[in-house]
Amino acid sequence: GKEVHLYRPNAKDDHSFKILKRPLGSQHSGEVTSGTYTSKEGGRVYLGHADGKITIYSAVDYACLAVVNVSVYKINCLAIVGDYLWAAYNTGMIYVYDTGPNPWVVKKDWRAHDSPVSTFLLDASSVWTMNRLQVTSLGTDNCIRLWDGMLEDDWLGKCLFLQ
């Protein structure tokens, strides 16, 4: 939906279980489709929306820091990979954004799948086990694809079909 409610699951009573009295969501119009978190700059939460916008919230005081219109297409998933924000779209495209400058800079974009990308998975242990930062994407085309999270080599392997 369009609203995001915040809860403290380890709260000792009902009054402190719900963090905010009102939900986050007045700053955006599109349905929330994805989210990711980074501890940089005190903690930021990025929410992707069906209308192609990304809202950024402070993880400290829950204030809306910005609303960025990155596309007209639905954002299916977001991930923080290193210093960059990765966004995957309903079109099968993946975009990598540098969110430091204003406006954001697209570091790279490519057609990752022939159909919508449904999820990302960052394998942080791959830095030690494989000597590279590996990102896995799953598309609704039933393919799992592996990408170089450092953006040195784009394609790490052939399409792996799900059985």
Side-chain angles (χ1 to χ4, degrees), residues 28-31 33-34 46-56 66-79 84-91 93-109 120:
H28 52 79
S29 58
E31 197 172 282
T33 57
S34 56
Y46 294 84
L47 298 178
H49 302 275
D51 60 1
K53 292 183 174 81
I54 295 176
T55 50
I56 306 155
V67 178
V68 181
N69 191 5
V70 293
S71 177
V72 295
Y73 299 106
K74 177 183 176 187
I75 300 169
N76 283 357
C77 53
L78 293 173
Y84 299 125
L85 176 67
W86 287 42
Y89 293 90
N90 215 29
T91 60
M93 296 290 291
I94 293 177
Y95 279 72
V96 178
Y97 298 101
D98 182 352
T99 60
N102 190 8
W104 291 359
V105 175
V106 176
K107 298 302 283 183
K108 190 165 251 177
D109 65 283
F120 283 131

Side-chain angles (χ1 to χ4, degrees), residues 35-40 44 46 77-88 94-100 105 107-108 110 117 119-127 132-137 145-154 156:
T36 191
Y37 169 81
T38 181
S39 58
K40 285 175 55 176
R44 291 187 172 202
Y46 294 84
C77 53
L78 293 173
I80 297 290
V81 179
D83 291 332
Y84 299 125
L85 176 67
W86 287 42
I94 293 177
Y95 279 72
V96 178
Y97 298 101
D98 182 352
T99 60
V105 175
K107 298 302 283 183
K108 190 165 251 177
W110 67 95
V117 180
T119 194
F120 283 131
L121 178 64
L122 170 63
D123 181 9
S125 68
S126 65
V127 172
R132 65 176 179 238
L133 185 60
Q134 189 166 281
V135 178
T136 304
S137 65
R145 295 206 167 113
L146 308 174
W147 310 101
D148 175 27
M150 300 303 287
L151 304 178
E152 294 171 355
D153 301 318
D154 293 337
L156 295 177

Side-chain angles (χ1 to χ4, degrees), residues 16-33:
S16 61
F17 179 65
K18 195 167 187 180
I19 296 173
L20 299 175
K21 292 181 183 181
R22 297 190 325 160
L24 299 177
S26 60
Q27 290 79 12
H28 52 79
S29 58
E31 197 172 282
V32 177
T33 57

